Amino acid sequence: MKITLTKPDDWHLHLRDDEAMTSVVAHTAERFARAIVMPNLKPPVANTQLAADYRQRILDALPENSGFTPLMTLYMTDLLTSDEVIRAKQSGFVHGIKLYPAGATTNSDAGVADIRKLYPVLETMQRESMPLLVHAEVTEPEIDIFDRERVFIDRHMTKLRQEFPELAIVFEHVTTRDAVDFVRESNGPIGATITVQHLMYNRNHMLAGGIRPHYYCLPILKRETHQEALIEAATSGNSRFFLGTDSAPHPQHAKECACGCAGCYTAHAAIELYTEIFEAENALDKLEGFASHHGPDFYGMPRNTERITLQKRDWQVAESYRFGKDMVVPLKAGQTVHWQLITEQGG
């Protein structure tokens, strides 16, 4: 059995930098034509010049003739200005500005402390048609980690949608039924990315019978009822939901330790795993929309013209991959994946 799709895009990706990036970027470039690249480096990619420099490093790291296009983003800090938003828009290569609440995830210490102070910047983004990409979690320690997305919706997302009705908002890596309902029911331009790991797993997979650090990501895996809502949204054909892997490589030693990093590495088999999920839901006819059409339509970009083919054929994921001077353990390490991307060389 084979299926052919318009070559998909990844609308949420972490590539890291330098030697580590060079080790992993080919996995994405093989499967995706474009990707929205997250800006949470150290120091963060907080202005257009830094984005240009990072983009060039990505292009230099790509395999020859890959054809892959990195779509850059800026990191929203408390110092972001309207002039910088305009420069980013005029660059032609910056396609969004990422809002990390301070302390929400990896390298988010420079994130926004009070979104209300950036309302003038958001007004400029709305006028310039620059999307706001939101990591939608509160970070107060007294809020239960499993409730942080829901509380962010109540405190901030609803108000953002009301105050800036024409601002394009991407609700990144939704993890709850609350988020799915918010995206479905909101007015104005809004979309949401959904990851492989949040479709495949729930918190029982991560915690029952022993802690599995390579399933640990932020936002954290939720209850099975939330997982079911995500699967229904992804396979529904609703154009507000599209593919975003949030593939986030970390060195093996930084995951398998007393204070392990948050993030799942999925770029090595992302489109194959999404295909498994859609097949299990008898929704392969909806996969191309989710993976290849809804994202570019939301961002106002042309759909890709290149196509890829996947074959129903078992293959085993490597136990680890090189990651700079370290190793990264991928999702489903050592396990079988049931769909395989057919390369130009035939397998």
PDB file of all heavy atoms in Angstrom, residues 181-204:
ATOM      1  N   ASP A 181     -11.262  23.355  21.653  1.00  0.00           N
ATOM      2  CA  ASP A 181     -12.541  24.066  21.617  1.00  0.00           C
ATOM      3  C   ASP A 181     -12.329  25.559  21.394  1.00  0.00           C
ATOM      4  O   ASP A 181     -13.084  26.201  20.648  1.00  0.00           O
ATOM      5  CB  ASP A 181     -13.314  23.838  22.919  1.00  0.00           C
ATOM      6  CG  ASP A 181     -13.825  22.412  23.058  1.00  0.00           C
ATOM      7  OD1 ASP A 181     -13.857  21.689  22.042  1.00  0.00           O
ATOM      8  OD2 ASP A 181     -14.186  22.022  24.191  1.00  0.00           O
ATOM      9  N   PHE A 182     -11.312  26.132  22.035  1.00  0.00           N
ATOM     10  CA  PHE A 182     -11.038  27.557  21.870  1.00  0.00           C
ATOM     11  C   PHE A 182     -10.715  27.881  20.414  1.00  0.00           C
ATOM     12  O   PHE A 182     -11.225  28.853  19.847  1.00  0.00           O
ATOM     13  CB  PHE A 182      -9.876  27.979  22.769  1.00  0.00           C
ATOM     14  CG  PHE A 182      -9.506  29.426  22.644  1.00  0.00           C
ATOM     15  CD1 PHE A 182     -10.219  30.392  23.342  1.00  0.00           C
ATOM     16  CD2 PHE A 182      -8.457  29.823  21.828  1.00  0.00           C
ATOM     17  CE1 PHE A 182      -9.888  31.744  23.211  1.00  0.00           C
ATOM     18  CE2 PHE A 182      -8.118  31.158  21.701  1.00  0.00           C
ATOM     19  CZ  PHE A 182      -8.835  32.126  22.396  1.00  0.00           C
ATOM     20  N   VAL A 183      -9.868  27.065  19.797  1.00  0.00           N
ATOM     21  CA  VAL A 183      -9.485  27.310  18.400  1.00  0.00           C
ATOM     22  C   VAL A 183     -10.683  27.135  17.475  1.00  0.00           C
ATOM     23  O   VAL A 183     -10.893  27.928  16.549  1.00  0.00           O
ATOM     24  CB  VAL A 183      -8.321  26.384  18.001  1.00  0.00           C
ATOM     25  CG1 VAL A 183      -8.046  26.472  16.504  1.00  0.00           C
ATOM     26  CG2 VAL A 183      -7.067  26.735  18.793  1.00  0.00           C
ATOM     27  N   ARG A 184     -11.477  26.119  17.705  1.00  0.00           N
ATOM     28  CA  ARG A 184     -12.652  25.885  16.862  1.00  0.00           C
ATOM     29  C   ARG A 184     -13.649  27.042  16.937  1.00  0.00           C
ATOM     30  O   ARG A 184     -14.240  27.420  15.929  1.00  0.00           O
ATOM     31  CB  ARG A 184     -13.363  24.610  17.323  1.00  0.00           C
ATOM     32  CG  ARG A 184     -12.809  23.325  16.762  1.00  0.00           C
ATOM     33  CD  ARG A 184     -13.900  22.258  16.778  1.00  0.00           C
ATOM     34  NE  ARG A 184     -13.376  20.976  16.335  1.00  0.00           N
ATOM     35  CZ  ARG A 184     -13.150  19.937  17.131  1.00  0.00           C
ATOM     36  NH1 ARG A 184     -13.378  20.038  18.421  1.00  0.00           N
ATOM     37  NH2 ARG A 184     -12.696  18.803  16.633  1.00  0.00           N
ATOM     38  N   GLU A 185     -13.832  27.589  18.133  1.00  0.00           N
ATOM     39  CA  GLU A 185     -14.937  28.504  18.373  1.00  0.00           C
ATOM     40  C   GLU A 185     -14.555  29.975  18.281  1.00  0.00           C
ATOM     41  O   GLU A 185     -15.446  30.841  18.250  1.00  0.00           O
ATOM     42  CB  GLU A 185     -15.524  28.218  19.767  1.00  0.00           C
ATOM     43  CG  GLU A 185     -16.133  26.817  19.867  1.00  0.00           C
ATOM     44  CD  GLU A 185     -16.397  26.375  21.297  1.00  0.00           C
ATOM     45  OE1 GLU A 185     -16.264  27.234  22.211  1.00  0.00           O
ATOM     46  OE2 GLU A 185     -16.731  25.188  21.502  1.00  0.00           O
ATOM     47  N   SER A 186     -13.270  30.303  18.228  1.00  0.00           N
ATOM     48  CA  SER A 186     -12.851  31.700  18.209  1.00  0.00           C
ATOM     49  C   SER A 186     -13.154  32.361  16.876  1.00  0.00           C
ATOM     50  O   SER A 186     -13.150  31.712  15.814  1.00  0.00           O
ATOM     51  CB  SER A 186     -11.346  31.802  18.479  1.00  0.00           C
ATOM     52  OG  SER A 186     -11.039  31.465  19.802  1.00  0.00           O
ATOM     53  N   ASN A 187     -13.380  33.644  16.924  1.00  0.00           N
ATOM     54  CA  ASN A 187     -13.504  34.448  15.717  1.00  0.00           C
ATOM     55  C   ASN A 187     -12.115  34.913  15.277  1.00  0.00           C
ATOM     56  O   ASN A 187     -11.152  34.873  16.037  1.00  0.00           O
ATOM     57  CB  ASN A 187     -14.396  35.660  15.971  1.00  0.00           C
ATOM     58  CG  ASN A 187     -15.830  35.267  16.280  1.00  0.00           C
ATOM     59  OD1 ASN A 187     -16.372  34.334  15.672  1.00  0.00           O
ATOM     60  ND2 ASN A 187     -16.450  35.948  17.235  1.00  0.00           N
ATOM     61  N   GLY A 188     -12.039  35.380  14.041  1.00  0.00           N
ATOM     62  CA  GLY A 188     -10.784  35.924  13.553  1.00  0.00           C
ATOM     63  C   GLY A 188      -9.816  34.851  13.119  1.00  0.00           C
ATOM     64  O   GLY A 188     -10.060  33.648  13.261  1.00  0.00           O
ATOM     65  N   PRO A 189      -8.657  35.274  12.587  1.00  0.00           N
ATOM     66  CA  PRO A 189      -7.669  34.318  12.075  1.00  0.00           C
ATOM     67  C   PRO A 189      -6.929  33.614  13.205  1.00  0.00           C
ATOM     68  O   PRO A 189      -6.155  34.219  13.945  1.00  0.00           O
ATOM     69  CB  PRO A 189      -6.720  35.203  11.252  1.00  0.00           C
ATOM     70  CG  PRO A 189      -6.842  36.564  11.867  1.00  0.00           C
ATOM     71  CD  PRO A 189      -8.251  36.676  12.364  1.00  0.00           C
ATOM     72  N   ILE A 190      -7.185  32.344  13.373  1.00  0.00           N
ATOM     73  CA  ILE A 190      -6.520  31.555  14.406  1.00  0.00           C
ATOM     74  C   ILE A 190      -6.306  30.141  13.889  1.00  0.00           C
ATOM     75  O   ILE A 190      -7.151  29.577  13.185  1.00  0.00           O
ATOM     76  CB  ILE A 190      -7.327  31.544  15.728  1.00  0.00           C
ATOM     77  CG1 ILE A 190      -6.520  30.863  16.846  1.00  0.00           C
ATOM     78  CG2 ILE A 190      -8.695  30.894  15.557  1.00  0.00           C
ATOM     79  CD1 ILE A 190      -7.077  31.100  18.236  1.00  0.00           C
ATOM     80  N   GLY A 191      -5.145  29.601  14.200  1.00  0.00           N
ATOM     81  CA  GLY A 191      -4.830  28.227  13.851  1.00  0.00           C
ATOM     82  C   GLY A 191      -4.134  27.561  15.017  1.00  0.00           C
ATOM     83  O   GLY A 191      -3.834  28.198  16.033  1.00  0.00           O
ATOM     84  N   ALA A 192      -3.871  26.258  14.882  1.00  0.00           N
ATOM     85  CA  ALA A 192      -3.208  25.518  15.958  1.00  0.00           C
ATOM     86  C   ALA A 192      -2.357  24.411  15.370  1.00  0.00           C
ATOM     87  O   ALA A 192      -2.781  23.726  14.425  1.00  0.00           O
ATOM     88  CB  ALA A 192      -4.236  24.924  16.915  1.00  0.00           C
ATOM     89  N   THR A 193      -1.170  24.245  15.926  1.00  0.00           N
ATOM     90  CA  THR A 193      -0.336  23.107  15.558  1.00  0.00           C
ATOM     91  C   THR A 193      -0.561  21.969  16.543  1.00  0.00           C
ATOM     92  O   THR A 193      -0.871  22.191  17.716  1.00  0.00           O
ATOM     93  CB  THR A 193       1.155  23.487  15.535  1.00  0.00           C
ATOM     94  OG1 THR A 193       1.524  24.060  16.794  1.00  0.00           O
ATOM     95  CG2 THR A 193       1.435  24.482  14.423  1.00  0.00           C
ATOM     96  N   ILE A 194      -0.398  20.742  16.044  1.00  0.00           N
ATOM     97  CA  ILE A 194      -0.554  19.540  16.871  1.00  0.00           C
ATOM     98  C   ILE A 194       0.653  18.643  16.618  1.00  0.00           C
ATOM     99  O   ILE A 194       1.004  18.365  15.469  1.00  0.00           O
ATOM    100  CB  ILE A 194      -1.856  18.785  16.555  1.00  0.00           C
ATOM    101  CG1 ILE A 194      -3.077  19.716  16.664  1.00  0.00           C
ATOM    102  CG2 ILE A 194      -2.016  17.597  17.499  1.00  0.00           C
ATOM    103  CD1 ILE A 194      -4.409  19.044  16.357  1.00  0.00           C
ATOM    104  N   THR A 195       1.259  18.154  17.696  1.00  0.00           N
ATOM    105  CA  THR A 195       2.481  17.364  17.585  1.00  0.00           C
ATOM    106  C   THR A 195       2.186  15.871  17.464  1.00  0.00           C
ATOM    107  O   THR A 195       1.096  15.404  17.803  1.00  0.00           O
ATOM    108  CB  THR A 195       3.393  17.567  18.812  1.00  0.00           C
ATOM    109  OG1 THR A 195       2.867  16.830  19.918  1.00  0.00           O
ATOM    110  CG2 THR A 195       3.522  19.040  19.197  1.00  0.00           C
ATOM    111  N   VAL A 196       3.196  15.147  17.023  1.00  0.00           N
ATOM    112  CA  VAL A 196       3.118  13.685  16.977  1.00  0.00           C
ATOM    113  C   VAL A 196       2.935  13.103  18.375  1.00  0.00           C
ATOM    114  O   VAL A 196       2.069  12.253  18.614  1.00  0.00           O
ATOM    115  CB  VAL A 196       4.393  13.099  16.328  1.00  0.00           C
ATOM    116  CG1 VAL A 196       4.499  11.606  16.600  1.00  0.00           C
ATOM    117  CG2 VAL A 196       4.406  13.351  14.840  1.00  0.00           C
ATOM    118  N   GLN A 197       3.759  13.577  19.318  1.00  0.00           N
ATOM    119  CA  GLN A 197       3.740  12.943  20.639  1.00  0.00           C
ATOM    120  C   GLN A 197       2.418  13.150  21.358  1.00  0.00           C
ATOM    121  O   GLN A 197       1.951  12.257  22.080  1.00  0.00           O
ATOM    122  CB  GLN A 197       4.902  13.423  21.504  1.00  0.00           C
ATOM    123  CG  GLN A 197       4.940  14.898  21.840  1.00  0.00           C
ATOM    124  CD  GLN A 197       5.811  15.675  20.868  1.00  0.00           C
ATOM    125  OE1 GLN A 197       6.019  15.254  19.726  1.00  0.00           O
ATOM    126  NE2 GLN A 197       6.324  16.817  21.310  1.00  0.00           N
ATOM    127  N   HIS A 198       1.781  14.294  21.175  1.00  0.00           N
ATOM    128  CA  HIS A 198       0.507  14.522  21.851  1.00  0.00           C
ATOM    129  C   HIS A 198      -0.627  13.741  21.200  1.00  0.00           C
ATOM    130  O   HIS A 198      -1.662  13.498  21.830  1.00  0.00           O
ATOM    131  CB  HIS A 198       0.189  16.011  21.895  1.00  0.00           C
ATOM    132  CG  HIS A 198       1.092  16.780  22.814  1.00  0.00           C
ATOM    133  ND1 HIS A 198       2.111  17.571  22.347  1.00  0.00           N
ATOM    134  CD2 HIS A 198       1.146  16.840  24.171  1.00  0.00           C
ATOM    135  CE1 HIS A 198       2.750  18.104  23.384  1.00  0.00           C
ATOM    136  NE2 HIS A 198       2.186  17.676  24.495  1.00  0.00           N
ATOM    137  N   LEU A 199      -0.460  13.340  19.952  1.00  0.00           N
ATOM    138  CA  LEU A 199      -1.437  12.467  19.302  1.00  0.00           C
ATOM    139  C   LEU A 199      -1.216  10.999  19.685  1.00  0.00           C
ATOM    140  O   LEU A 199      -2.168  10.233  19.811  1.00  0.00           O
ATOM    141  CB  LEU A 199      -1.355  12.614  17.786  1.00  0.00           C
ATOM    142  CG  LEU A 199      -1.818  13.952  17.197  1.00  0.00           C
ATOM    143  CD1 LEU A 199      -1.475  14.019  15.716  1.00  0.00           C
ATOM    144  CD2 LEU A 199      -3.308  14.161  17.412  1.00  0.00           C
ATOM    145  N   MET A 200       0.026  10.612  19.884  1.00  0.00           N
ATOM    146  CA  MET A 200       0.348   9.207  20.132  1.00  0.00           C
ATOM    147  C   MET A 200       0.233   8.799  21.590  1.00  0.00           C
ATOM    148  O   MET A 200      -0.059   7.642  21.902  1.00  0.00           O
ATOM    149  CB  MET A 200       1.777   8.909  19.647  1.00  0.00           C
ATOM    150  CG  MET A 200       1.954   8.960  18.150  1.00  0.00           C
ATOM    151  SD  MET A 200       3.667   8.591  17.676  1.00  0.00           S
ATOM    152  CE  MET A 200       3.813   6.916  18.258  1.00  0.00           C
ATOM    153  N   TYR A 201       0.485   9.749  22.493  1.00  0.00           N
ATOM    154  CA  TYR A 201       0.654   9.379  23.888  1.00  0.00           C
ATOM    155  C   TYR A 201      -0.166  10.277  24.813  1.00  0.00           C
ATOM    156  O   TYR A 201      -0.538  11.398  24.452  1.00  0.00           O
ATOM    157  CB  TYR A 201       2.130   9.487  24.298  1.00  0.00           C
ATOM    158  CG  TYR A 201       3.063   8.657  23.455  1.00  0.00           C
ATOM    159  CD1 TYR A 201       4.114   9.256  22.743  1.00  0.00           C
ATOM    160  CD2 TYR A 201       2.909   7.285  23.365  1.00  0.00           C
ATOM    161  CE1 TYR A 201       4.974   8.493  21.966  1.00  0.00           C
ATOM    162  CE2 TYR A 201       3.767   6.510  22.590  1.00  0.00           C
ATOM    163  CZ  TYR A 201       4.800   7.128  21.887  1.00  0.00           C
ATOM    164  OH  TYR A 201       5.639   6.377  21.123  1.00  0.00           O
ATOM    165  N   ASN A 202      -0.420   9.774  26.018  1.00  0.00           N
ATOM    166  CA  ASN A 202      -0.980  10.576  27.096  1.00  0.00           C
ATOM    167  C   ASN A 202      -0.090  10.389  28.320  1.00  0.00           C
ATOM    168  O   ASN A 202       0.923   9.669  28.276  1.00  0.00           O
ATOM    169  CB  ASN A 202      -2.443  10.217  27.364  1.00  0.00           C
ATOM    170  CG  ASN A 202      -2.624   8.753  27.737  1.00  0.00           C
ATOM    171  OD1 ASN A 202      -2.098   8.290  28.742  1.00  0.00           O
ATOM    172  ND2 ASN A 202      -3.379   8.019  26.911  1.00  0.00           N
ATOM    173  N   ARG A 203      -0.460  11.008  29.436  1.00  0.00           N
ATOM    174  CA  ARG A 203       0.435  11.017  30.585  1.00  0.00           C
ATOM    175  C   ARG A 203       0.654   9.639  31.182  1.00  0.00           C
ATOM    176  O   ARG A 203       1.692   9.394  31.813  1.00  0.00           O
ATOM    177  CB  ARG A 203      -0.061  11.998  31.641  1.00  0.00           C
ATOM    178  CG  ARG A 203      -1.380  11.652  32.303  1.00  0.00           C
ATOM    179  CD  ARG A 203      -1.858  12.829  33.126  1.00  0.00           C
ATOM    180  NE  ARG A 203      -2.984  12.468  33.986  1.00  0.00           N
ATOM    181  CZ  ARG A 203      -3.588  13.347  34.794  1.00  0.00           C
ATOM    182  NH1 ARG A 203      -3.200  14.602  34.843  1.00  0.00           N
ATOM    183  NH2 ARG A 203      -4.596  12.952  35.549  1.00  0.00           N
ATOM    184  N   ASN A 204      -0.265   8.704  30.987  1.00  0.00           N
ATOM    185  CA  ASN A 204      -0.032   7.334  31.454  1.00  0.00           C
ATOM    186  C   ASN A 204       1.166   6.702  30.762  1.00  0.00           C
ATOM    187  O   ASN A 204       1.943   5.966  31.381  1.00  0.00           O
ATOM    188  CB  ASN A 204      -1.271   6.473  31.218  1.00  0.00           C
ATOM    189  CG  ASN A 204      -2.318   6.654  32.302  1.00  0.00           C
ATOM    190  OD1 ASN A 204      -2.031   7.204  33.351  1.00  0.00           O
ATOM    191  ND2 ASN A 204      -3.521   6.198  32.033  1.00  0.00           N
TER     192      ASN A 204
END
